Amino acid sequence: MARRAAEPRRIPFVPNTLKLFLLLVAIAAFIIVFRHGYVPTRYAPFAAVSLDEPSGFFLDWRIAQLADDRDACRRLFDAPQMSVRPVADRGTRPGCGWTNAFRVAEAGRVAIRPAMTMECPLGAALSLWLEHGVQPAAKKHFGARVTAIRNVGGYSCRTIRGGLGKYFSIRSEHARANAIDIVGFRLSNGRTVSVLRGWPRADQPEGRFLRAVHAAACRYFRVTLGPEANALHRDHFHLDRGPLMSCR
């Protein structure tokens, strides 16, 4: 009597819903890994950030991957339009301090007054914005260059004010040297532009300039808050590279 051939082993049935779930989990994990900068520049499938290029595919992720890549940051900031020096990592209370940070005195050929400590992705975003967002707007509306910005909010170990801060104790991005508050701009012709005084003049060069640079900031920073966001920001732009996304 002939022996029956062994039947091939069957793969257990996997419902389509489970396949879809696993696919979505994989996509979410991919996004989280790259969005939070867990993959250094040398291992990422994207081109490194260049201060000479105003945009490009996956720019947000490319800026994020600088977070823990000290070598890439040093190469990026070793440019004539920058005046920075590395600072030692610092940890204070939980949720405060910084890693891979630099003391920035000049970014995008613009003086930072006063100079401030910022983590690498914030410094990269600030430089790109000043070079490719602020300067073109200044030339268009004033026929001059921006030579300095005045900031009033760098590192501060504190919780956020307003918004979710009314209900929860959440560390501000200022507590990670990952945010900057800008109140004004100085131009090469000696003119100054104040966010507080210039923003309401929507039909004047000051108002048009401020709205242009506010819109441009949303390309490089994850959170951009201006005078129309809430009363706390009526006199400055808050720019940060935190996990949230907001352009107001």
Side-chain angles (χ1 to χ4, degrees):
M1 183 175 179
R3 181 178 298 177
R4 296 179 59 185
E7 295 184 359
R9 182 177 298 176
R10 294 182 178 181
I11 300 175
F13 173 71
V14 179
N16 289 334
T17 53
L18 179 57
K19 293 178 183 178
L20 178 60
F21 173 76
L22 294 175
L23 176 62
L24 292 176
V25 169
I27 293 174
F30 178 86
I31 292 174
I32 290 172
V33 165
F34 283 99
R35 190 175 186 276
H36 289 271
Y38 295 141
V39 179
T41 303
R42 60 185 177 277
Y43 299 126
F46 318 118
V49 174
S50 170
L51 298 182
D52 296 325
E53 299 176 2
S55 59
F57 292 110
F58 300 104
L59 178 62
D60 178 72
W61 292 4
R62 289 159 58 205
I63 294 175
Q65 68 192 19
L66 294 168
D68 296 315
D69 198 328
R70 299 173 189 272
D71 292 337
C73 289
R74 289 189 176 93
R75 289 193 299 270
L76 180 70
F77 292 152
D78 186 18
Q81 61 264 50
M82 301 294 295
S83 177
V84 307
R85 62 176 176 82
V87 297
D89 291 351
R90 175 182 177 182
T92 54
R93 289 181 289 171
C96 294
W98 57 70
T99 58
N100 192 19
F102 294 77
R103 188 71 175 173
V104 182
E106 185 177 7
R109 300 183 179 88
V110 176
I112 312 300
R113 296 290 182 263
M116 60 175 286
T117 297
M118 59 184 76
E119 290 192 337
C120 179
L122 179 68
L126 181 65
S127 303
L128 287 164
W129 174 61
L130 290 171
E131 185 75 13
H132 303 292
V134 173
Q135 297 297 12
K139 182 178 180 181
K140 176 181 178 180
H141 296 290
F142 302 115
R145 285 184 56 84
V146 169
T147 58
I149 59 173
R150 182 176 170 230
N151 86 82
V152 294
Y155 174 77
S156 177
C157 184
R158 63 173 176 83
T159 57
I160 63 174
R161 300 164 183 162
L164 293 176
K166 296 178 181 179
Y167 313 101
F168 306 99
S169 179
I170 303 174
R171 287 294 187 199
S172 166
E173 289 303 311
H174 286 287
R176 295 179 47 234
N178 198 32
I180 182 173
D181 292 341
I182 298 172
V183 297
F185 303 79
R186 177 173 290 278
L187 305 177
S188 57
N189 58 12
R191 186 173 187 170
T192 59
V193 179
S194 161
V195 175
L196 177 63
R197 295 190 299 271
W199 187 271
R201 303 170 182 171
D203 59 342
Q204 299 296 317
E206 294 94 334
R208 291 193 289 267
F209 165 77
L210 290 171
R211 282 163 174 76
V213 300
H214 176 276
C218 298
R219 183 187 311 160
Y220 303 108
F221 300 93
R222 289 179 173 169
V223 172
T224 298
L225 302 178
E228 295 182 6
N230 53 46
L232 292 173
H233 297 89
R234 66 187 181 89
D235 62 348
H236 69 277
F237 293 151
H238 168 92
L239 312 173
D240 77 51
R241 286 282 309 169
L244 303 179
M245 298 290 289
S246 181
C247 179
R248 293 185 290 155

